[in-house]
Structures are given as C-alpha cells and as structure tokens.
Amino acid sequence: MNQEEFFALEVPEFQYLSYTVGGGIATVTIRRPDALNALNQDVLLELAQVSEVIAEDPEAKVAIFTGEGRAFVAGADINQIAGIADVFAAREFALLGQAVFNEIAALPLPTIAAVNGFALGGGLELALACDLRVASQKAKLGLPEVGLGIIPGFGGTQRLPRLVGRGRALDLIFTARHVPAEEALQLGLVNRVAEDALQAAQELAQQILKNGPVALALAKESVSRGENLDLAEALEIEADLFGLACQTQDMKEGTKAFLEKRAANFKGE
C-alpha cells in the first residue's frame, strides 16, 4: 500500500481512543479516565479498529499503547460483567477480549505498553498482549479477578505464565494482589521502570527505530511462531526467516553501513 492509498482510507473517529503517529511511532491512548479507562465492549471494539489502522499505516513502525489520567487500564468494566446474563454471554465477552488482544499481539511491528498507572485485570492482559512493557514508578499491576469470583478471561491465565513462569503467575492470580512497579520488574512482568512511562516508552521506541523494520517484523514472527514449539521445529522457523531477511535490501544496506562505519539508512524493503 502506498502513501496515497493510505490517506484515501477512512480512519474511524474514536470515542474512547486517540490515535496519533509521527516519526515512525504510533500512539494509542485509551481515554475513559472517569472510569479509569476500564474496558467495556465499546472500548474493545475501538481497540480492534485501531489495530487495523496501525497495521495499514505505512508511517507506523512501532506502536505504543497507554492510558489517559492516573490509570493505564484499571480492568474490564465491572458494571458490564455484573450484568452478564448467562454462561454463553460471558463466554462471548471473554472471546471478544481475547480476539482483540490477539490482533494487537499479531501486529507485524514492535508494540510497547506504557503503563502509566493501574494495569489490573483486563489492563494487565492488554499490556501482556504487547511485546514490551514500560511501567511508571507509581504503576500497580495485577490480576485481581478471583477476588470478584471470576478468573482472568482476556488471556491472562495463558500469557502471564508464558512470560513469568507458572509459579509466579499462579502466585499473582491466586492472591489477586497489586504488584508495585519495582517488584514487577524483578518478576519479569515489565521490561523497564521509569518516572514517566510514556516518555520512557518513546525513548525505547526511538532505539528500536534505528534498526531494520523488515528484520524487526521477522524477528517478532520468529519468536511468536517458535515459542510454543520444540527447539528443533523452532530453529527451522528461525532459519527460514533468516533466509528471507538475507534477501532484503535492508540486509544489503545494513551490512554495507557496518563495513563503511556509518549509520544504516533502512527503507523497509
């Protein structure tokens, strides 16, 4: 898709999100501060829409997700959960959240959660769907669902153990406790802690942007496809994608720039 085709597209007018892109960084801000950015069905549907926009935006090379106000996302909307009529409706709500977060996880570019405050329940599950997590020093993270008589339903019971290990994940799930940022860093739940999560996420994005965009996409694909396979199968995938990377113009530019002792000028080709 060329630039003219992109600008011919209709970007949705979001009620609960803002979407900006500049310098290769797309930023999605959830804007429901009166409810601590809680996820109801409307917010989830807008997150699905914005994922499509990011995937089609030729300017977006890294995407940052954050929240407005003192929360990243404080969880799924409890009012909506309390009003669920039966097991089938509950299952459909969980499947909706899972599908939306799967779309975010599958974006073919690096994604960063800038956890500026509370990231609880569905908020933590959103952060877990991102590739990297940067937390503010005041952030609190957790999966408190069992305290409400339910379980995480947007991927938390599956993504958290894969990230921090089964024992640590069950500790957080069973206790329903809120983990401060520094402990989250020690657990491997977040990658970095900073005074300003969004600023730190932008700085991290700038570091990522120095590298080849095709290589970044292939590296993400290699990790995603191989993480649940045995080592032999996963190494086959890595070799295949390495082969593809070596056929790109970015590879030729990157190796040439290294040998010439200069910064590479990647084109994403």
Side-chain angles (χ1 to χ4, degrees), residues 82-163:
I84 292 176
D86 54 46
V87 65
F88 302 105
R91 183 175 188 275
E92 289 303 310
F93 186 57
L95 289 173
L96 171 63
Q98 290 175 4
V100 172
F101 292 173
N102 285 344
E103 285 189 41
I104 292 171
L107 283 169
L109 75 174
T111 55
I112 305 170
V115 182
N116 52 298
F118 295 109
L120 305 173
L124 180 54
E125 288 167 311
L126 171 58
L128 290 171
C130 295
D131 299 315
L132 302 170
R133 285 151 296 283
V134 177
S136 76
Q137 294 169 347
K138 297 180 180 179
K140 300 284 186 181
L141 304 91
L143 294 176
E145 285 88 348
V146 296
L148 300 172
I150 57 175
I151 69 169
F154 293 170
T157 65
Q158 303 307 308
R159 285 196 170 95
L160 185 61
R162 286 167 169 79
L163 181 66

Side-chain angles (χ1 to χ4, degrees), residues 19-22 24-28 54 57 59-65:
Y19 176 76
T20 59
V21 61
I25 303 174
T27 303
V28 176
I54 293 169
D57 190 339
E59 192 179 348
K61 308 300 181 187
V62 179
I64 296 174
F65 290 80

Side-chain angles (χ1 to χ4, degrees), residues 168-188:
R168 288 176 172 178
L170 287 174
D171 181 326
L172 295 178
I173 293 168
F174 287 169
T175 63
R177 63 195 179 92
H178 298 178
V179 176
E182 287 298 335
E183 183 179 355
L185 182 63
Q186 294 170 7
L187 291 171

